[in-house]
Amino acid sequence: MNNILVIGSSAINKIYPGYRTPKDLDLIMNQDTLDKYINYRKKLDSSIRYYPIDDGNKYLIRGEYITEIELAYDETSSKSLIDYILDNDQYVGYMITRDEFNMIYPTQDILYTLKYSHRYLKNSPHFLKTMRDLQFLESKNAKIFDAEWLRIRESETYNYSHPKLNQKSTTFFEKKESFYRYNHDDLHCAVSYPNSPLYLKIIKDGEEVQCSEEKFNSLSHEEKIILAQEEAMVLTLERYLIPNEFKVDPYT
């Protein structure tokens, strides 16, 4: 029998019917099962289209509904997750046998941990949806099922480098970027409220760009809100409004 792990909104909706109507189907399976699954789907709908994405680590099937499939390779978190669930019945929420496939719906703790592992994913178009799902599952007392598995999953998810903040502002703000018209710090001064830019209050001693988490936490709640607003306004001016000479739809 071929085992397929159902994750994402479809799986959450299985536990809590009516939570949200899924727009697609998210699955995890190995390569052998994928080959059989595609043939199975082609028998149901010969017009489906399918192709690899994410450097071949995932597959997308387009048809009556979109299906995104994560491939479970050896030595990856997805492979170990399938094995873990199959070895621990308490993490199987539902199992539906459909022809030659076992459709496994994991428990909310598994789903919560999967969501939690990509909560900070860069450039994700699903940030808000992920946040709402996490909040919903937390309201149902969901928790991390395995901290070590989460660590491995996060290392696979956040596979890119972060900006180096311990440098001068002149090198941090690369002038090769086409949107730069004015000095970044000058824009902060232009929009700051009530007096001087609030980011100056959280800069690490002796640094120009790098911020101190300790100094940020010492701000009042109102100051934290103003700080976030200030940064949002500067980025909007710098990267969108000014380069487009303010000839853009305000809502956009």
Side-chain angles (χ1 to χ4, degrees):
M1 189 64 69
N2 299 286
N3 296 307
I4 297 177
L5 192 60
V6 184
I7 59 175
S9 301
S10 296
I12 297 176
N13 206 57
K14 187 71 174 176
I15 302 173
Y16 300 105
Y19 164 60
R20 186 179 67 237
T21 302
K23 294 182 178 180
D24 55 13
L25 181 62
D26 296 300
L27 308 172
I28 298 178
M29 66 187 76
N30 62 31
Q31 182 67 59
D32 183 57
T33 301
L34 172 64
D35 295 337
K36 294 174 183 176
Y37 183 73
I38 288 177
N39 288 331
Y40 170 76
R41 289 286 297 272
K42 286 168 67 176
K43 291 177 182 177
L44 299 176
D45 181 2
S46 60
S47 66
I48 66 166
R49 293 177 292 126
Y50 53 92
Y51 44 87
I53 58 174
D54 192 25
D55 296 326
N57 294 316
K58 293 183 179 180
Y59 254 77
L60 199 67
I61 299 178
R62 293 188 178 275
E64 183 180 352
Y65 54 92
I66 295 175
T67 305
E68 186 173 301
I69 298 165
E70 178 182 342
L71 287 173
Y73 296 108
D74 288 341
E75 309 303 325
T76 62
S77 62
S78 52
K79 173 66 165 59
S80 65
L81 181 62
I82 292 178
D83 293 342
Y84 190 93
I85 292 173
L86 291 174
D87 291 340
N88 295 272
D89 290 343
Q90 70 267 32
Y91 288 113
V92 177
Y94 299 90
M95 182 181 293
I96 300 173
T97 301
R98 189 171 296 159
D99 294 326
E100 57 186 306
F101 304 102
N102 283 329
M103 307 296 289
I104 304 169
Y105 293 80
T107 58
Q108 67 174 19
D109 286 353
I110 298 286
L111 298 174
Y112 177 76
T113 307
L114 280 165
K115 290 279 182 183
Y116 197 86
S117 71
H118 60 266
R119 64 200 184 284
Y120 300 137
L121 185 61
K122 182 173 69 173
N123 298 331
S124 171
H126 309 300
F127 175 81
L128 186 60
K129 181 165 69 72
T130 298
M131 183 177 71
R132 295 300 185 218
D133 287 344
L134 285 170
Q135 291 172 333
F136 174 77
L137 291 172
E138 285 169 358
S139 73
K140 302 298 183 181
N141 300 315
K143 60 185 182 298
I144 303 298
F145 83 94
D146 187 299
E148 177 59 19
W149 184 89
L150 173 63
R151 184 193 65 78
I152 295 171
R153 182 72 172 189
E154 287 180 329
S155 70
E156 296 173 352
T157 302
Y158 308 130
N159 58 359
Y160 45 81
S161 61
H162 293 285
K164 291 183 174 64
L165 299 178
N166 57 337
Q167 55 180 306
K168 299 292 184 181
S169 61
T170 51
T171 54
F172 181 78
F173 299 109
E174 298 183 52
K175 298 306 178 185
K176 67 181 181 181
E177 297 285 3
S178 61
F179 52 75
Y180 282 119
R181 302 287 178 85
Y182 300 100
N183 181 279
H184 182 86
D185 294 340
D186 287 347
L187 291 177
H188 269 281
C189 291
V191 303
S192 61
Y193 173 84
N195 299 308
S196 59
L198 264 172
Y199 82 90
L200 293 173
K201 285 191 173 183
I202 64 169
I203 292 292
K204 277 191 174 182
D205 295 337
E207 297 288 345
E208 292 185 9
V209 178
Q210 194 167 16
C211 298
S212 163
E213 183 176 359
E214 184 180 42
K215 287 184 177 181
F216 174 80
N217 289 332
S218 70
L219 295 178
S220 68
H221 181 70
E222 182 182 16
E223 286 177 318
K224 291 175 182 177
I225 296 298
I226 295 173
L227 176 68
Q229 289 175 328
E230 180 183 296
E231 192 63 46
M233 287 190 287
V234 168
L235 292 176
T236 303
L237 284 164
E238 179 179 70
R239 306 183 181 209
Y240 198 67
L241 293 175
I242 293 173
N244 289 286
E245 299 179 345
F246 291 88
K247 296 176 182 177
V248 289
D249 172 59
Y251 181 82
T252 302

